Amino acid sequence: MKVFYSSFALALVVAGTTSANAADAITVTSWGGALQKNQSSAFMEPFSKVSGVKVSQDEWSGELAKLRAMTESGSVVWDVIDVDPQTAEQACSQGLLDKLDYGKITPPSTLVKGAVLDCAVGISSYATILAYNPEKLKAKPTSITDIFDTQKFPGKRTFHKSPVDTLEVALLADGVPADEVYSTLETPEGVDRAFKKLDTIKKDIVWWEAGAQPSQLLKSGEAVIGLAWNGRVSDANKSEKAGLGVVWDGQIQGFDMWAIPKGSKNKELAYKFIKFTTDPKNNAELSKYVDYGPTVVEAVKNVSPDTLGDLPTAPQNMKNYLVQDAEFWGVYGPDLNARFSTWVSQ
């Protein structure tokens, strides 16, 4: 899909990016694959074109050990990194990231709920949603909690092999109100309650570890219903004509976030890049390539109406949703990951 750079040039004034010297350069590191390719088309290439700043790219898998080695040695070669909220909180608490100066980016009030952290700012929103194969079910699911209803929706169900989202959905399905999910999970009784709920369908679960897997499992019929990332399901429906159904009710929103590693050699240029990507016009560009929603509230009006209905942050898809609590997972994540791994292996 073609990028119209003229719109970025116009937005440049708003974003505050200025002409750069030929030697100006930054390195932006993301997760690789299709996501990074789309980010490059939407953000890195346009920023470089209109600012004159050379943008090199690298990939990582969120491994904090690598980031820690850079910061402790004083050899930080990354300037902006893509982090998920949980990684952002853990890295921030360990002193591996700079605390952001939102005065150099955008006022926090311009961003959607959950996109503002001390050390990271949300650049796009994705969601864990309920997906299903309508050819394998007699009834149509209406809520993310329907994944636990094996009577009405018999068959294998697929879950991400991670406690993140899995435990939240278990409590939602057990009747915990959305605004009490994380306070419940902070207690030993709440954690026990979540695992007890998961026990009821454990024998019916097919686990997935890579984002493309749930769509493949549902399309093949190996599972009939499951939790998946909305962009992956949408891509399967568009590129493979998978015909999968999506339920937005009860979606759990997560974010891709920009952060600046402690010790970045090009901090001011990093801020210029982040500011550019949080301009309302520029922030909406990623939605042209993948069904991830903008995090800037005003950016929604710049998204094509044909695309808007497939985004997590579309108003009609946010009537009942839960935002991942990054602070919670930053604190409790290590213990819950250990318990989850033990539970899965038993």
Side-chain angles (χ1 to χ4, degrees), residues 45-63:
E45 294 171 22
F47 171 75
S48 183
K49 185 175 180 68
V50 300
S51 69
V53 176
K54 179 182 177 181
V55 180
S56 299
Q57 297 184 48
D58 200 355
E59 299 177 11
W60 81 320
S61 301
E63 61 274 32

Side-chain angles (χ1 to χ4, degrees), residues 125-127 129 229-235 237-238 244 246 248 251 287 290-294 303-317:
S125 173
Y126 62 89
I129 47 85
W229 293 329
N230 75 289
R232 295 289 191 164
V233 176
S234 179
D235 182 68
N237 283 342
K238 292 176 180 178
L244 303 178
V246 169
W248 285 104
Q251 63 151 308
S287 299
V290 62
D291 287 333
Y292 285 179
V303 176
S304 166
D306 293 336
T307 302
L308 187 60
D310 294 324
L311 304 184
T313 47
Q316 64 269 34
N317 294 335

